[in-house]
Amino acid sequence: MGEQDDTTVGPQALLRGTPPRPVVRVLFSGGAPRQELHALHAGTIAVGRGADSVSGVRLAGDPRLSRQHARLLVGGGSVRLINDSSYGTLRNGQPIDDVALADGDVIQLGDSFLIFRLLPTDIVDANLPSIIGVSPEAARLRSTARLAGPTASPVLLLGPTGTGKDLMARALHEESRRHGRLVTLNSTAIPAAAAESELLGHVAGAVAGASTDHDGALRQAQGGTIFLDEVGELPLSMQAKLLRVLDEHRAMPVGSTVSYSVDARVVAASSFDLDARVREGRFRADLYARLAEITVHLPTLTTRREDVLPLLLSALPKGHAPLEPGLVAALLAYPWPYGVREVIKVATELGVRGAGRELLTLELVAERLRAPPPAAPTPPPVGLGSEKRAATRDPIPDKDELQALLKRHAFVIADVARATGRSRKQVYRWLDKHGLRDTVADREPDDDTSD
């Protein structure tokens, strides 16, 4: 049951069809979010402030870029990133000299951020405003909603919490062109004893305290779509009744002897491994097969980092201040264990705490972005690196780590201090300890503030 077939849609489908083409997308440059896509042709491609705008990647608005900051060497089935600047080039937050790029790598040059992608050529994107993003994964979700929406087949949405299963359900409903409502029933939000009544309805007197008839979610969704969120939490007794509804297109309210016809498209979702639940006997295999006529695997934000800024900007208040490059670096680095909802919370906090400011800075949300909770998934971060460790007041960085920090922030002490959550005075103490004071041009601050 874990095998995927032609009905399965998700990131694994990117491997099918024609070979993907290498591209870089500019995410942020010149102090503003960007979305330019540059196809990478075979040969050498210059990247920098003075790069040719046709044959290279020109980022004219970033004063911290060299005229030719880096090169991309394309050929032999790989793309290599080569640093040409004394200010340094970062890949996934780490300084590089010459490295092979992998799909999804985030590149930082000066205050500009790009992402390397192997772009599928078999996706026909659709204009669906409810699914925000420029990544291949977001485009595939929109394409899937456009193709699967008008069908009557049940759809099963699988993915961790926060991947936007409710948004995908809404997109499927909108594309279905059905005249009825989208009705959501969250299986984790209702007691097991009330599940049958909430789904199928009941007649007056059939359940405790019921003085009137209750339609139930299925009848409320007549002519529309019913979204069964966390369907894996349905009691086994209700799973059997749901399977009968799917097979017979009829339902019987609790306490009634008369069934009614069901005309509701079913979209189900689960953040759990339903295969494992089937093996454990906690979910019916026949219901799983019936719900999964079309399966959609929703990707996490760590696989679609280019969508973080568009999602954040869509949730920020109108007229907000520009984003600081340090904030952008942290946003692209953070693993987002709670997905899209967490991006919206960060945007809300930035909007409130940054009201009236000329710049939205990392300090406004540093605590929220510093590290995920201990129980959260921790995929390798794209950036921050040893700054994150220093900010937790662990022992001071060793000489190599401090040199990497300096290079990463172009030897600007104020930027190093901001990224590590320490004072400039403390950063100078680190420099003195490792004999690196002569590598920076900044003067030591006059204050004697200690950490």
Side-chain angles (χ1 to χ4, degrees):
M1 191 163 296
E3 296 182 0
Q4 294 160 341
D5 55 30
D6 290 338
T7 66
T8 301
V9 182
Q12 73 288 337
L14 303 182
L15 301 177
R16 296 198 297 263
T18 56
R21 57 190 177 99
V23 301
V24 290
R25 184 183 291 276
V26 182
L27 306 179
F28 186 92
S29 186
R34 305 265 288 274
Q35 291 188 4
E36 301 99 288
L37 193 67
H38 296 265
L40 302 182
H41 53 78
T44 302
I45 300 172
V47 184
R49 193 162 39 87
D52 185 88
S53 58
V54 176
S55 62
V57 180
R58 186 176 187 181
L59 302 169
D62 186 348
R64 293 187 64 188
L65 278 179
S66 301
R67 288 186 59 80
Q68 179 169 311
H69 202 104
R71 285 169 288 151
L72 294 165
L73 299 186
V74 184
S78 69
V79 177
R80 303 196 68 81
L81 174 64
I82 299 175
N83 174 54
D84 289 324
S85 173
S86 60
Y87 293 109
T89 297
L90 309 181
R91 182 201 60 167
N92 297 338
Q94 300 301 317
I96 64 95
D97 290 316
D98 182 345
V99 69
L101 293 176
D103 185 38
D105 280 349
V106 174
I107 303 165
Q108 181 178 354
L109 313 95
D111 286 337
S112 296
F113 299 83
L114 304 86
I115 189 167
F116 171 73
R117 275 299 205 168
L118 296 174
L119 193 65
T121 57
D122 60 344
I123 301 176
V124 179
D125 205 345
N127 182 22
L128 298 179
S130 58
I131 300 179
I132 297 171
V134 296
S135 67
E137 291 81 3
R140 189 170 291 281
L141 290 177
R142 287 189 292 265
S143 176
T144 299
R146 176 62 53 84
L147 294 172
T151 73
S153 299
V155 178
L156 179 61
L157 308 177
L158 299 175
T161 298
T163 48
K165 295 184 288 292
D166 54 339
L167 297 177
M168 186 63 180
R170 179 165 296 281
L172 287 164
H173 174 67
E174 290 171 352
E175 290 301 302
S176 73
R177 301 178 183 86
R178 297 175 66 87
H179 60 82
R181 298 166 50 199
L182 170 65
V183 177
T184 298
L185 183 67
N186 190 324
S187 303
T188 61
I190 55 176
E196 184 174 1
S197 171
E198 289 298 319
L199 180 64
L200 307 180
H202 63 247
V203 297
V207 297
S211 58
T212 60
D213 293 350
H214 173 60
D215 282 344
L218 279 171
R219 184 169 271 170
Q220 293 169 14
Q222 285 288 73
T225 303
I226 181 168
F227 175 42
L228 302 175
D229 200 7
E230 294 301 352
V231 70
E233 293 295 290
L234 275 179
L236 281 169
S237 60
M238 272 308 304
Q239 293 176 29
K241 290 180 170 63
L242 176 58
L243 178 62
R244 180 173 297 176
V245 169
L246 292 171
D247 287 340
E248 300 178 358
H249 301 285
R250 298 195 69 82
M252 181 84 73
V254 177
S256 176
T257 58
V258 180
S259 65
Y260 59 90
S261 175
V262 174
D263 176 24
R265 200 273 185 84
V266 176
V267 177
S270 178
S271 58
F272 300 100
D273 183 349
L274 289 185
D275 281 320
R277 296 205 165 197
V278 169
R279 291 192 298 271
E280 296 164 359
R282 299 170 63 189
F283 200 82
R284 294 179 62 111
D286 46 5
L287 177 59
Y288 185 14
R290 192 74 173 81
L291 291 172
E293 289 187 16
I294 299 175
T295 304
V296 182
H297 292 264
L298 281 85
T300 63
L301 280 179
T302 55
T303 64
R304 44 181 293 211
R305 291 193 181 275
E306 60 265 57
D307 294 340
V308 170
L309 292 184
L311 286 166
L312 182 92
L313 294 171
S314 72
L316 281 172
K318 291 183 178 180
H320 64 82
L323 307 182
E324 172 201 36
L327 172 60
V328 173
L331 292 168
L332 295 175
Y334 189 64
W336 301 107
Y338 302 119
V340 175
R341 290 188 186 92
E342 193 173 10
V343 177
I344 294 172
K345 288 181 179 179
V346 169
T348 301
E349 187 169 355
L350 281 171
V352 172
R353 301 186 64 192
R357 291 195 173 215
E358 294 183 358
L359 195 66
L360 297 182
T361 60
L362 175 58
E363 64 178 335
L364 297 174
V365 288
E367 288 301 318
R368 186 183 289 275
L369 296 180
R370 183 158 289 145
T378 53
V382 187
L384 291 186
S386 55
E387 293 102 318
K388 188 184 297 182
R389 186 179 68 82
T392 61
R393 298 187 179 274
D394 284 346
I396 68 172
D398 60 30
K399 186 172 183 178
D400 289 341
E401 289 176 322
L402 185 54
Q403 286 177 317
L405 272 168
L406 291 168
K407 190 174 182 181
R408 188 172 309 160
H409 296 285
F411 296 89
V412 177
I413 298 304
D415 289 352
V416 174
R418 186 183 302 112
T420 58
R422 299 297 186 93
S423 68
R424 291 177 62 198
K425 192 79 173 177
Q426 180 62 60
V427 176
Y428 277 105
R429 291 195 190 101
W430 295 344
L431 293 172
D432 290 337
K433 177 178 177 61
H434 296 303
L436 297 175
R437 175 68 75 104
D438 292 339
T439 64
V440 300
D442 297 35
R443 288 193 308 109
E444 183 176 355
D446 293 331
D447 68 287
D448 194 29
T449 304
S450 62
D451 270 6

